[in-house]
Amino acid sequence: MENQKIILSLHLRKEKDRMKEFVISEVKAETAVLVGLITQTQDEAKTKEYLDELEFLADTAGAVTVKRFTQKVGGPNSVTYVGTGKLEEIKQYIRDEEDAERPVGMVIFDDELSAKQIRNIEASLGVKILDRTSLILDIFAMRAQTANAKTQVELAQYRYMLPRLQRLWTHLERQGGGSGSGGGKGSVGLRGPGETQLEMDRRIILNRMSLLKQRLTEIDKQKATQRKNRGRMIRVALVVIPMWVSLQ
């Protein structure tokens, strides 16, 4: 019986060690590539400073920066942010890292991207695409502790998402030729869904935003009530303590 206990104990210890190794091997920080532009209004030194800051933000969010790309241009490309040549260079780097079994988890751009840019870049690179604003919102969401902070962060995320959602469905509206009413214009299979889906998604987000605003109002009321109650307690204490001292 004693031998069986020893064998069982050794077996459980071995399993525990195996699971620990598995967890350590699985929990790996995501790797990130940073992208910034050098323009007439932002020289190389300033771009480096901004990318240093972006790397710090990525590290705060739990990502490890493995590469930086910069391009000297007149301004951001409205379709892919960087030029096609630079985008291909980033794509090749991601492929090479994948071949070397060092997959890149995300590419983070130093400026705010439109839905059109995000969609086109993501389609080309095949990895998660973030910009500076979405990265900061992610950090806020991670650090938010109170109900008030969490609600404010969620509201900010929806505000960020809403205009990008509208741009995201613009290509479907163009292809579909509108809602499909009045003659059924548009390509086969694309008559109407773009606008319908857009309005549906917009309504869901707007309803959620309205709910979050109501929640913030309720939280503010609760805070005001709590402050009022604390003020009453302090006033009572100021009255009671001198009375108690005088009785000594």
Side-chain angles (χ1 to χ4, degrees):
M1 188 70 178
E2 191 65 31
N3 289 337
Q4 288 179 338
K5 287 182 179 179
I6 293 171
I7 293 170
L8 180 62
S9 177
L10 289 171
H11 177 71
L12 290 172
R13 189 182 301 171
K14 190 181 293 185
E15 281 297 304
K16 191 176 180 181
D17 291 340
R18 188 182 68 80
M19 286 302 296
K20 190 183 292 183
E21 289 174 8
F22 173 77
V23 170
I24 291 171
S25 65
E26 285 296 305
V27 180
K28 293 179 180 178
E30 284 188 278
T31 53
V33 169
L34 309 184
V35 181
L37 296 180
I38 301 168
T39 64
Q40 294 177 347
T41 57
Q42 183 175 297
D43 60 20
E44 190 171 350
K46 182 59 70 175
T47 298
K48 182 183 181 305
E49 181 185 329
Y50 287 155
L51 289 178
D52 286 343
E53 185 182 88
L54 193 64
E55 182 171 345
F56 173 77
L57 291 171
D59 180 67
T60 303
V64 177
T65 300
V66 293
K67 182 75 173 177
R68 294 181 179 189
F69 287 92
T70 59
Q71 185 177 31
K72 190 175 289 186
V73 289
N77 184 301
S78 62
V79 179
T80 54
Y81 183 75
V82 293
T84 53
K86 181 60 67 173
L87 193 66
E88 188 58 38
E89 184 183 340
I90 298 169
K91 185 177 181 178
Q92 188 58 52
Y93 173 80
I94 292 171
R95 282 176 180 167
D96 293 342
E97 289 298 289
E98 184 74 34
D99 292 341
E101 298 185 353
R102 297 187 299 264
V104 173
M106 70 191 80
V107 179
I108 308 173
F109 290 78
D110 190 41
D111 292 309
E112 194 168 302
L113 301 174
S114 68
K116 179 181 178 182
Q117 288 172 323
I118 293 172
R119 186 176 64 251
N120 291 329
I121 296 167
E122 205 166 53
S124 176
L125 302 184
V127 297
K128 181 166 59 180
I129 304 301
L130 297 177
D131 60 15
R132 178 180 281 264
T133 304
S134 59
L135 179 62
I136 291 170
L137 286 174
D138 185 68
I139 293 169
F140 284 162
M142 183 175 63
R143 296 294 178 89
Q145 298 294 325
T146 65
N148 187 38
K150 289 177 181 178
T151 305
Q152 286 185 347
V153 169
E154 188 178 351
L155 183 59
Q157 288 174 325
Y158 280 123
R159 280 175 175 158
Y160 171 82
M161 186 190 303
L162 191 59
R164 284 155 184 78
L165 183 71
Q166 290 170 327
R167 294 191 195 106
L168 185 66
W169 285 98
T170 300
H171 70 295
L172 287 181
E173 291 179 37
R174 285 202 213 100
Q175 291 174 351
S179 63
S181 60
K185 295 179 180 177
S187 304
V188 175
L190 289 173
R191 297 187 181 102
E195 186 175 358
T196 304
Q197 186 63 53
L198 172 61
E199 290 305 316
M200 189 183 300
D201 291 346
R202 284 186 75 254
R203 186 167 60 253
I204 291 169
I205 290 177
L206 288 170
N207 287 343
R208 182 63 182 167
M209 288 173 68
S210 178
L211 181 65
L212 291 170
K213 288 174 183 176
Q214 289 175 15
R215 189 179 296 172
L216 284 173
T217 302
E218 290 169 5
I219 291 171
D220 287 341
K221 286 179 181 177
Q222 290 172 2
K223 283 185 175 180
T225 302
Q226 289 169 359
R227 282 194 295 268
K228 192 181 294 183
N229 290 339
R230 279 198 297 268
R232 286 172 183 167
M233 290 174 65
I234 291 169
R235 284 195 295 273
V236 170
L238 290 173
V239 172
V240 171
I241 290 173
M243 289 175 60
W244 181 81
V245 170
S246 65
L247 293 173
Q248 299 301 309

